[in-house]
């Protein structure tokens, strides 16, 4: 009931604010760094908060990394100083003045004189009520609030339990999302430092002159052309039923929502990588510089990969720098904006790509085999009004080899008042063979090519190092005894030589998926969100290859298809620190959830040898070779993500699908540690994935579906870290035995 009242109060305030024409309540006195304002009625922070800027009722302010702002209220001259990484909204009624803060730190100097309204600082967890005092509010998005008193007294109420404590000078109150509230003495250093120690309050005369000038414009002067344009834009946005708060898409997992807006903290990062990597089955030592630039307030990001690879004999691998296309590969990524912007794009490395609710494409990464294999992907989208679009290409290089993994999504939200969202996905791997290694680019994959480094040669039947005769080959290179029977070929009529090898140009194996989903936010408040959805998925795998055993093809796949249905699907977020999802799933035929997953590029095509004969199998062929995967299965899927009160986060997902006789399970987990809480630790994370397996917890016996790794950083000094990056997955060695593929990199990272 308390949350309902709070939501009702917020709606009332917004309506009231619009009705009073967004009156000016305060002005920006000082700002430094990235300080942006989202005017009431606007969907984004689009106005720079320069000194003198008028703050209207309903406006929101965001202060970025290394920024600060000072705001003064016009009526009573109360001052609010805002530290970095803070976001809050100004809300006023006839009786109250509220700063509704989502995260960050504000220092408040509230005057008793000339003030006619109660002053409040409200967070998703707590409310601080002030009559006249100087205090600080520190709000952690994990659901922990700290209020520290400097002078005067104020009350703090935990909104979960309703418990209230009084805080005086030199005291603090700690309130959290579990309903706990306590008052304690403030320790030295608890009160945040003033973001601008040299700050001097603007003379009242100067502010009064600005107000008088503003009144003159209001009374007699015609508005400027710019003001007219701004007014027209506001009216257009109002007609589109804007929302002051961003309503999260119900199909978007919370973890993904957090990742999409991730922007590196610093404008320039430099990584120096030293370690071993495997490229084309050869071991190299690497020396790599990986600078990252974050420009235009983090809007534009550029990452480079400037690497040199040295073999055991000290020779530099020249293949990395000898072609014009190699220099394109030196761009690790280029990005613009994020998914909530009207236009956004990321080119290059892609990580954790999910379309819709993830029934087909979930957590895909084109970086699993980096740097041995470099893929250049594109993920972009456009949002206009109630319509959203997204395009995904895993590797544009594959278009020269028959096509790549691609995805399209379109969604439509009915209205703000009725936020039902309808979405559709189309996902297709245009040619699964395009991911096969073909170093000389002669269209014959290396597994079928006896001369994988020479585009003019491909067959050597007797294995003596001399090529079989074929059109275009020089006579001096021709093997005169190509079949190796010690008889000159000129004296034989039937040599029994190899036929034309398997060619990517002549063979294609595609997979197509369709998905349709509907989602509706049942509850959408700052403290609690609950989304209801359903999703239908269809997977179609057409026939490929030939059944003619006398032909040259070593590949044949029967046509198959299947579908999956998730109903109901529920996703909940509690105080932004606990995220839970649940789905009841039904699958029939040849379908598995998350067919295109994080490790898809690894399992896309499996290459093996049987009796010295090369064979290839697409992912679906091996996956559905298990009779269990062909059966109709029902079961559940659940995920859990938790913020460990600022010390880190943990995520995990588990699926259990059963038939009358069999069971299929999946498990993923990841742990991230907040390095700021642990001395000398700059970063720490680890992950594990094993999908569509009989026992994903059998860690001693991994499968081809197993992927795990970790990344640890040790802070050598300020701005310098030593980072250990490890990743491991498994491939068939050609005999049916799995061999581990390990990738280890040691980097020295410099942050400026």
């Amino acid at each position: 009931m308390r949350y309902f009242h709070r939501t009702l109060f917020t709606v009332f305030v917004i309506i009231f604010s619009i009705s009073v024409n967004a009156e000016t309540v305060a002005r920006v006195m000082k700002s430094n760094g990235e300080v942006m304002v989202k005017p009431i009625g606007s969907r984004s922070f689009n106005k720079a908060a320069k000194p003198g800027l008028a703050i209207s009722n309903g406006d929101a302010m965001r202060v970025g990394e290394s920024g600060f702002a000072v705001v003064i209220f016009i009526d009573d001259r109360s001052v609010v100083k805002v530290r970095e990484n803070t976001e809050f909204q100004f809300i006023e009624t006839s009786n109250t003045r509220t700063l509704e803060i989502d995260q960050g730190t504000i220092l408040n100097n509230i005057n008793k004189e000339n003030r006619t309204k109660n002053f409040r600082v409200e967070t998703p967890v707590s409310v601080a009520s002030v009559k006249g005092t100087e205090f600080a509010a520190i709000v952690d998005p994990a659901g922990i609030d700290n209020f520290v008193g400097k002078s005067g007294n104020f009350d703090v109420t935990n909104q979960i339990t309703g418990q209230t404590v009084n805080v005086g000078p030199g005291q603090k109150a700690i309130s959290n999302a579990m309903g706990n509230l306590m008052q304690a003495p403030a320790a030295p250093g608890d009160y945040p430092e003033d973001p601008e120690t040299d700050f001097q309050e603007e003379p009242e005369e100067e502010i009064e002159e600005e107000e008088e000038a503003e009144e003159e414009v209001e009374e007699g002067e015609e508005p400027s052309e710019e003001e007219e344009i701004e007014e027209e834009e506001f009216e257009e946005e109002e007609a589109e039923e804007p929302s002051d708060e961003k309503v999260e898409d119900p199909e978007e997992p919370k973890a993904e929502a957090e990742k999409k807006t991730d922007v590196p903290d610093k404008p320039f990062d430099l990584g120096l990588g030293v370690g071993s990597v495997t490229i084309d089955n050869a071991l190299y030592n690497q020396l790599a510089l990986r600078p990252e630039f974050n420009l235009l307030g983090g809007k534009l990001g550029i990452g480079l990969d400037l690497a040199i690879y040295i073999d055991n004999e000290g020779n530099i691998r020249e293949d990395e720098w000898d072609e014009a296309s190699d220099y394109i590969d030196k761009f690790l990524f280029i990005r613009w904006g994020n998914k909530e912007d009207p236009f956004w794009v990321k080119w290059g490395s892609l990580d954790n790509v999910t379309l819709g609710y993830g029934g087909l494409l979930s957590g895909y990464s084109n970086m699993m085999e980096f740097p041995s294999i470099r893929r250049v992907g594109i993920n972009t989208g456009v949002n206009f009004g109630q319509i959203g679009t997204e395009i995904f290409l895993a590797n544009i290089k594959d278009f020269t080899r028959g096509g790549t993994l691609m995805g399209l999504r379109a969604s439509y939200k009915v209205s703000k008042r009725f936020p039902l969202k309808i979405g559709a996905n189309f996902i297709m791997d245009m040619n699964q063979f395009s991911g096969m290694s073909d170093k000389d680019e002669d269209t014959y994959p290396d597994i079928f090519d006896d001369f994988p480094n020479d585009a003019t040669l491909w067959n050597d039947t007797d294995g003596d190092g001399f090529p079989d005769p074929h059109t275009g080959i020089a006579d001096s290179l021709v093997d005169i005894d190509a079949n190796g029977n010690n008889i000159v070929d000129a004296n034989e009529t039937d040599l029994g030589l190899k036929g034309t090898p398997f060619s990517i140009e002549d063979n294609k194996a595609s997979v197509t998926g369709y998905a349709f989903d509907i989602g509706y936010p049942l509850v959408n408040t700052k403290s609690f969100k609950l989304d209801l959805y359903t999703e239908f998925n269809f997977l179609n795998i057409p026939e490929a290859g030939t059944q003619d055993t006398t032909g040259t093809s070593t590949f044949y796949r029967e046509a198959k298809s299947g579908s999956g249905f998730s109903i109901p699907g529920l996703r909940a977020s509690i105080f932004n620190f606990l995220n839970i999802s649940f789905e009841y799933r039904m699958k029939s035929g040849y379908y598995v959830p998350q067919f295109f997953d994080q490790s898809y590029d690894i399992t896309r095509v499996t290459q093996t040898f049987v009796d010295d004969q090369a064979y290839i199998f697409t992912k679906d062929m091996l996956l559905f070779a298990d009779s269990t995967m062909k059966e109709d299965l029902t079961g559940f899927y659940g995920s859990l993500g938790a913020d460990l009160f600022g010390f880190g986060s943990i995520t995990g997902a588990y699926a259990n699908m059963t038939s009358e006789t069999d069971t299929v399970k999946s498990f993923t987990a990841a742990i991230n540690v907040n390095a700021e809480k642990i001395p000398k630790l700059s970063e720490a994370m680890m992950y594990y994935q094993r999908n569509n397996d009989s026992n994903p917890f059998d860690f001693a016996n991994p499968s081809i579906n197993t992927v795990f790794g970790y990344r640890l950083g040790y802070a050598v000094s300020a701005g310098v870290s030593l980072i250990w990056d490890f990743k491991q997955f498994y491939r068939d060695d050609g005999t049916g035995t799995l061999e581990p593929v390990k990738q280890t990199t040691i980097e020295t990272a410099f942050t400026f």
Side-chain angles (χ1 to χ4, degrees):
M1 184 61 71
R2 184 181 301 274
Y3 307 132
F4 173 77
H5 290 162
R6 186 179 176 209
T7 303
L8 188 64
F9 170 77
T10 303
V11 173
F12 170 77
V13 167
I14 293 172
I15 295 173
F16 179 81
S17 301
I18 296 174
S19 69
V20 299
N21 199 27
E23 62 175 327
T24 298
V25 296
R27 287 188 180 276
V28 178
M29 296 184 65
K30 284 202 173 188
S31 66
N32 186 48
E34 182 188 356
V35 183
M36 303 296 293
V37 171
K38 180 173 71 173
I40 184 172
S42 178
R43 294 187 176 135
S44 61
F45 291 88
N46 54 22
K47 183 180 290 186
K50 298 180 180 179
L53 177 69
I55 300 295
S56 300
N57 186 14
D59 289 355
M61 177 177 285
R62 181 173 66 194
V63 179
E65 180 75 22
S66 302
F68 79 90
V70 181
V71 178
I72 186 169
F73 287 95
I74 293 174
D75 55 359
D76 61 7
R77 300 296 189 265
S78 293
V79 174
V80 175
K81 300 180 181 181
V82 191
R83 289 182 60 94
E84 69 278 1
N85 299 320
T86 299
E87 186 173 323
F88 67 101
Q89 184 179 18
F90 299 84
I91 297 177
E92 297 223 3
T93 68
S94 58
N95 300 316
T96 62
R97 168 171 292 159
T98 302
L99 299 183
E100 194 169 287
I101 178 170
D102 295 326
Q103 66 175 26
T105 303
I106 57 175
L107 282 63
N108 309 276
N109 190 354
I110 310 304
N111 290 332
K112 290 183 179 180
E113 300 179 0
N114 302 319
R115 186 164 57 82
T116 60
K117 300 180 179 180
N118 295 322
F119 185 90
R120 295 158 34 103
V121 174
E122 185 171 354
T123 80
V125 175
S126 318
V127 175
S129 303
V130 180
K131 294 181 179 180
T133 184
E134 189 172 0
F135 75 104
I138 305 103
V139 180
D140 192 317
I144 304 175
D145 301 335
N146 282 268
F147 300 91
V148 187
K150 190 173 185 180
S151 66
N153 292 272
F154 60 98
D155 293 329
V156 176
T157 301
N158 185 286
Q159 298 197 86
I160 313 303
T161 60
Q163 182 183 355
T164 300
V165 298
N166 184 264
V167 181
Q171 297 179 327
K172 65 179 180 180
I174 304 173
S175 177
N176 65 33
M178 305 302 293
N180 300 317
L181 175 65
M182 69 173 186
Q183 183 245 55
D190 280 350
Y191 198 89
E193 294 182 3
D194 193 322
E196 177 65 359
T197 56
D198 297 330
F199 165 71
Q200 299 290 332
E201 289 192 6
E202 185 177 347
E204 295 187 7
E205 293 83 1
E206 188 176 335
I207 295 177
E208 289 170 356
E209 289 176 3
E210 292 177 358
E211 293 174 10
E212 290 173 1
E214 188 179 66
E215 291 173 359
E216 290 177 2
V217 173
E218 292 176 351
E219 292 176 2
E221 294 182 13
E222 293 292 326
S224 67
E225 186 176 339
E226 292 182 358
E227 290 172 336
E228 289 180 351
I229 293 173
E230 289 179 359
E231 187 174 345
E232 291 174 2
E233 290 175 348
F234 174 80
E235 290 174 355
E236 291 175 0
E237 291 174 341
E238 190 176 31
E240 294 175 1
E241 298 183 330
S243 173
D244 292 323
E245 293 184 5
K246 176 184 179 291
V247 178
E248 296 182 10
D249 293 343
E251 82 263 11
E252 184 179 310
K254 186 64 183 177
E256 177 68 11
E258 293 173 351
K259 288 184 179 182
K260 74 180 182 181
T261 57
D262 262 356
V263 176
D265 295 333
K266 304 295 183 180
F268 178 69
D269 292 341
L270 176 61
L272 173 63
V274 180
S276 61
V277 297
T278 301
I279 303 176
D280 296 335
N281 296 318
L283 185 65
Y284 292 87
N285 297 309
Q286 78 160 345
L287 177 64
L289 290 176
R290 296 194 175 98
E292 293 187 14
F293 305 88
N294 303 287
L295 311 173
L296 304 178
K299 198 80 170 178
L300 174 64
I302 300 174
L304 302 179
D305 179 43
L306 309 176
I308 297 176
Y309 300 100
I310 306 170
D311 63 21
N312 292 331
E313 297 180 355
N315 301 312
I316 296 177
R317 178 181 166 87
E318 298 179 354
D319 292 353
E320 300 293 320
W321 301 88
D322 60 348
E323 298 180 6
S325 61
D326 291 335
Y327 292 88
I328 298 177
D329 287 340
K330 305 313 170 191
F331 287 89
L332 187 61
F333 68 84
I334 300 175
R335 62 164 177 80
W336 174 266
N338 55 64
K339 285 190 175 183
E340 60 184 11
D341 292 335
F343 171 75
W344 58 274
V345 63
K346 186 177 184 184
W347 175 91
S349 64
L350 302 178
D351 194 33
N352 202 32
V353 179
T354 298
L355 289 186
Y357 294 96
L360 287 173
L361 180 72
S362 178
Y364 170 82
S365 171
N366 68 357
M367 296 288 289
M368 292 303 299
E369 298 174 282
F370 178 86
S372 59
I373 299 178
R374 298 169 183 268
R375 299 181 174 91
V376 180
I378 295 177
N379 193 199
T380 183
V382 176
N383 301 304
F384 46 95
Q386 293 137 288
I387 299 175
T389 62
E390 183 173 354
I391 301 174
F392 156 72
L393 300 174
N395 188 15
I396 59 177
K397 296 180 179 180
D398 283 349
F399 278 105
T400 63
R401 299 153 53 86
T404 188
L405 174 64
M406 61 168 293
L408 304 173
R409 176 167 176 80
S411 62
Y412 174 76
K413 185 170 69 175
V414 177
S415 69
K416 175 190 172 183
R417 293 188 178 90
F418 185 60
L420 180 74
K421 177 168 277 191
I422 303 170
N425 300 332
F426 172 77
I427 302 167
M428 182 180 186
D429 191 338
M430 304 167 70
N431 187 11
Q432 293 171 284
F433 299 143
S434 66
M436 299 179 67
S437 177
D438 180 19
K439 290 184 289 204
D440 57 11
E441 299 183 350
D442 58 0
T443 77
Y444 305 126
D446 296 345
I447 190 174
F448 299 107
D449 194 342
D450 293 329
F451 301 90
N453 297 308
D454 192 333
T456 65
L457 309 174
W458 44 83
N459 277 348
D460 180 14
T461 299
D462 59 2
D464 61 357
F466 293 93
D468 294 352
H470 61 262
T471 304
I473 189 174
D475 292 339
S476 59
L477 297 177
V478 173
D479 190 349
I480 62 173
D481 181 19
N483 59 8
N485 63 355
N486 296 320
I487 301 174
V488 177
D489 294 344
N491 298 324
E492 294 186 84
T493 56
D494 186 11
L495 300 179
L497 301 181
K498 290 182 178 179
T500 303
F502 179 93
S503 172
I504 299 175
E505 188 176 43
D506 301 327
N507 294 273
K508 287 189 177 181
S510 63
V511 181
T512 304
Y514 307 89
F516 305 94
D517 54 76
I518 300 175
Y520 186 83
L522 298 175
V523 182
N524 188 19
T525 67
K526 288 187 176 181
S527 57
F528 181 67
K529 296 178 175 64
L530 179 63
D531 302 321
L532 174 67
Y533 63 91
T534 184
E535 182 180 39
F536 174 77
N537 298 284
F538 179 79
L539 193 66
N540 181 54
I541 304 168
E543 183 184 36
T546 176
Q547 289 183 291
D548 184 7
T549 57
T550 62
T552 58
S553 175
T554 59
F555 176 84
Y556 176 74
R557 181 183 72 185
E558 296 180 343
K560 53 181 84 73
S561 63
S563 60
F565 196 37
S566 297
I567 182 169
L570 292 169
R571 283 184 178 152
S573 175
I574 305 173
F575 291 105
N576 291 326
F577 85 95
L578 182 62
N579 302 285
I580 305 171
S581 72
F582 174 83
E583 294 180 10
Y584 182 77
R585 292 175 169 177
M586 297 172 284
K587 92 98 180 169
S588 62
Y590 295 89
Y591 165 81
V592 293
Q594 294 105 30
F595 182 85
F596 308 100
D597 58 10
Q598 180 189 35
S599 59
Y600 178 72
D601 284 325
I602 301 172
T603 58
R604 191 180 184 189
V605 176
T606 298
Q607 308 172 60
T608 187
F609 287 91
V610 178
D611 297 329
D612 294 328
Q613 176 67 47
Y615 290 90
I616 53 178
F617 303 92
T618 56
K619 175 177 179 174
D620 50 276
M621 296 174 68
L622 294 181
L623 185 64
F624 295 115
D626 184 351
S627 61
T628 304
M629 305 304 300
K630 306 175 187 177
E631 299 179 3
D632 295 348
L633 301 170
T634 60
F636 68 89
Y637 165 87
S639 70
L640 174 68
D643 191 305
L644 305 176
F645 297 101
F647 288 93
S649 63
I650 182 170
T651 59
Y654 176 71
N656 188 312
M657 306 282 289
T658 62
S659 66
E660 293 183 357
T661 56
D662 295 299
T663 300
V664 177
K665 302 175 182 178
S666 298
F667 175 69
T668 61
I671 299 175
N672 284 274
V673 178
N674 184 358
E676 294 181 356
K677 302 291 187 179
I678 303 177
K680 293 298 184 180
L681 190 68
S682 61
E683 59 179 289
M685 64 87 66
M686 61 183 302
Y687 58 90
Y688 175 87
Q689 173 187 295
R690 188 166 174 176
N691 291 334
N692 304 310
D693 217 321
S694 58
N695 184 10
F697 303 104
D698 185 7
F699 303 113
N701 298 291
S703 70
I704 198 170
N705 300 317
T706 304
V707 179
F708 66 91
Y710 57 83
R711 184 176 173 91
L712 295 174
Y714 175 78
V716 180
S717 62
V720 181
S721 296
L722 187 65
I723 299 174
W724 184 287
D725 196 330
F726 174 80
K727 177 171 55 185
Q728 181 168 319
F729 53 89
Y730 297 84
R731 285 194 181 280
D732 193 313
D733 65 358
T735 64
T737 302
L738 292 183
E739 60 177 2
V741 180
K742 302 179 181 181
Q743 297 181 348
T744 303
T745 302
I746 301 175
E747 299 181 358
T748 301
F750 302 88
T751 303
F752 302 92

